[in-house]
Amino acid sequence: QQQQQQQSRPVGHVRQLSNSASLFNLSMYSPRSRAYTLHCGPPPSTPEKPKQGPVFRNSILLQRNNDYSLPSATIVDLTSPASQQRIWRQERYEQARSDAQSSLCTPITSSIRFDERISFEIEGHMTSCVCLHPFEPLLIAANDTNIISVWNYVTGEQLRQFSNGNSKGTKITSFRLANVHDHPLLITGSSDGSVRIWKNFDCLPPNQLTLRSTWRAVPMTRNEQHKFPFVFEWQQHHGHLIGAGKSSHMYVWDCETEMCIRDIPTESGVTSIASESSSKALVAVGCVDGKIRLYDVRSPPQSQCRVAEFSEHNSRIVQVDVQQGGDGIMSSACSEGIVKLWDFRSKASTVSIQAHRPHLTAMAIHHYAPFFVSGSTNQTIKVISHEGKILSLIRHHDGFLGRRIAPVNCISFHAFDETFAAGFTDSIVSVYSADTKKKTLL
């Protein structure tokens, strides 16, 4: 009778419990247990896996080991137009990176004149973030609230303007582009520690702008939002987002599952994050106390992740960046106006340059060419070589009776070209390009 009752018991009820058990790790209803066999029959050959996050699994293409991570249920036809376009975009990315490595890594012997190609005025009081598209002539800029604008800096046409959807009293503090080798996604970070991912930001209507995902990456209180910006780094190879802020912790997120997979103590508030491209595991962190700490995210959770510490700066770190091509030089800039270049194999800096006196506010290093650009509150932008020579000095906007530029708030280099964008405190964004005719190479 007991066997008849057990056989007549609804199977679906027990299967629902077994699925819940797989989520909460209850071994009683595992596919190999006696209770599972008794109620549900023999175990399946491949137990069903719990469902992952619904957003990234089917919407984002992550580049891993030079391949695409596609959904397992998708049948890829390499002869289809969509596959051919994807292969062409991947080859375009590899060719651009190869050309930049071969043509821009040559030492520079004379000055380079950077001309202002175009200027835009955004809504708001000042520009908080700027970013340049690696393949299309597009400029993405955010104001001091939550408005994002996209322009074509060749034609001067504004493609889009939309709200990031921030909560009241917060602003956008950082930008990153994901999937630049295919269909790019715009990742925005706000001062409250939230992350938003936008699709079709670079397309004209009727292509609908889509918010693909959003979550709180770093806990930030309202008092901390005005003193310490939320910063993050995107690792395309792993599909990881590394975020930090005022709290002395750095959080590593897996964007496929939208789960925090690592919590790394940083011993101080973080102002800038950059990752090294060759090993794809070393993360450089600039801190409020003036130190730069290097972490290896491959280390086990119980071990010490910090592998090096650089402590030559005496003030707050403004920016840390790592060259993606060449020897992987790391650059750092502090608020006193000192820029240093580092070699990961040595604890001492190889070059130390007094770029501004003082109050440096923004700095960016070109990932392939041997120079960097910096800006300060004294209304000056300098392009400086790795040897410390000033290649270009910008103080005024171009044009007849060009007015003086405002204090610089943010700077971003193009991924491959000798072009950079600068955002100022007077709601003006300018794009500058090098005059190649006046450049002399060895």
Side-chain angles (χ1 to χ4, degrees), residues 16 49 62 97 103 117 129 183 204 217 272 287 373 378 419:
Q16 185 178 3
K49 296 182 180 180
L62 302 179
R97 187 169 61 176
S103 62
R117 297 185 59 172
C129 296
H183 292 292
L204 286 170
S272 181
C287 301
V373 60
N378 60 1
T419 303

Side-chain angles (χ1 to χ4, degrees), residues 14-35:
V14 180
R15 287 187 184 276
Q16 185 178 3
L17 289 177
S18 66
N19 291 336
S20 301
S22 64
L23 293 175
F24 294 100
N25 195 20
L26 299 178
S27 60
M28 175 181 176
Y29 290 101
S30 64
R32 300 296 176 184
S33 65
R34 183 176 180 275

Side-chain angles (χ1 to χ4, degrees), residues 230-297:
F230 165 62
V231 293
F232 69 91
E233 172 72 3
W234 167 252
Q235 291 185 328
Q236 180 71 44
H237 184 80
H238 300 291
H240 291 171
L241 185 143
I242 306 173
K246 168 63 173 65
S247 61
S248 301
H249 289 269
M250 182 170 58
Y251 301 90
V252 183
W253 288 82
D254 185 353
C255 290
E256 272 194 301
T257 60
E258 297 184 8
M259 295 179 60
C260 183
I261 60 176
R262 198 68 188 274
D263 181 359
I264 302 174
T266 58
E267 304 176 24
S268 178
V270 178
T271 58
S272 181
I273 303 177
S275 59
E276 197 264 334
S277 62
S278 60
S279 65
K280 300 179 177 62
L282 297 179
V283 178
V285 175
C287 301
V288 180
D289 57 4
K291 295 182 179 180
I292 304 168
R293 297 177 174 89
L294 196 64
Y295 297 91
D296 190 343
V297 296

Side-chain angles (χ1 to χ4, degrees), residues 35-195:
Y36 187 97
T37 305
L38 185 60
H39 293 292
C40 304
S45 57
T46 55
E48 295 182 358
K49 296 182 180 180
K51 294 183 178 181
Q52 303 293 333
V55 175
F56 276 94
R57 185 182 53 177
N58 296 324
S59 62
I60 190 171
L61 294 175
L62 302 179
Q63 184 186 19
R64 297 177 178 177
N65 301 323
N66 296 326
D67 292 326
Y68 294 110
S69 177
L70 295 176
S72 58
T74 303
I75 300 176
V76 179
D77 182 9
L78 297 179
T79 61
S80 64
S83 298
Q84 292 296 325
Q85 291 178 4
R86 183 169 297 153
I87 293 173
W88 174 80
R89 285 191 292 266
Q90 174 70 16
E91 292 176 351
R92 178 186 63 173
Y93 172 77
E94 297 295 340
Q95 185 65 36
R97 187 169 61 176
S98 176
D99 293 343
Q101 273 186 315
S102 59
S103 62
L104 298 179
C105 293
T106 311
I108 300 174
T109 59
S110 65
S111 60
I112 305 174
R113 178 178 176 180
F114 278 81
D115 296 325
E116 186 177 28
R117 297 185 59 172
I118 195 170
S119 293
F120 302 97
E121 185 172 2
I122 66 173
E123 294 184 4
H125 299 289
M126 69 176 184
T127 309
S128 62
C129 296
V130 291
C131 183
L132 292 173
H133 196 285
F135 297 108
E136 304 296 335
L138 299 181
L139 167 69
I140 306 103
N143 64 3
D144 55 346
T145 56
N146 64 347
I147 302 299
I148 301 173
S149 303
V150 182
W151 284 283
N152 186 316
Y153 57 81
V154 173
T155 63
E157 178 186 7
Q158 185 176 10
L159 301 183
R160 284 193 185 274
Q161 187 178 45
F162 60 95
S163 173
N164 192 51
N166 292 4
S167 58
K168 186 178 180 180
T170 63
K171 65 178 182 178
I172 301 172
T173 58
S174 52
F175 270 162
R176 288 294 185 274
L177 290 178
N179 292 354
V180 294
H181 58 281
D182 196 48
H183 292 292
L185 301 173
L186 178 65
I187 307 178
T188 65
S190 302
S191 56
D192 58 354
S194 62
V195 173

Side-chain angles (χ1 to χ4, degrees), residues 344-369:
F344 286 122
R345 298 165 294 184
S346 175
K347 290 188 176 181
S349 61
T350 57
V351 178
S352 181
I353 303 168
Q354 183 72 51
H356 300 271
R357 293 182 182 274
H359 305 305
L360 183 145
T361 55
M363 190 273 292
I365 188 172
H366 199 285
H367 285 174
Y368 297 96

Side-chain angles (χ1 to χ4, degrees), residues 1-18:
Q1 294 179 355
Q2 291 181 355
Q3 292 179 355
Q4 292 178 357
Q5 292 177 357
Q6 292 170 353
Q7 292 176 357
S8 63
R9 184 174 299 176
V11 178
H13 178 67
V14 180
R15 287 187 184 276
Q16 185 178 3
L17 289 177
S18 66

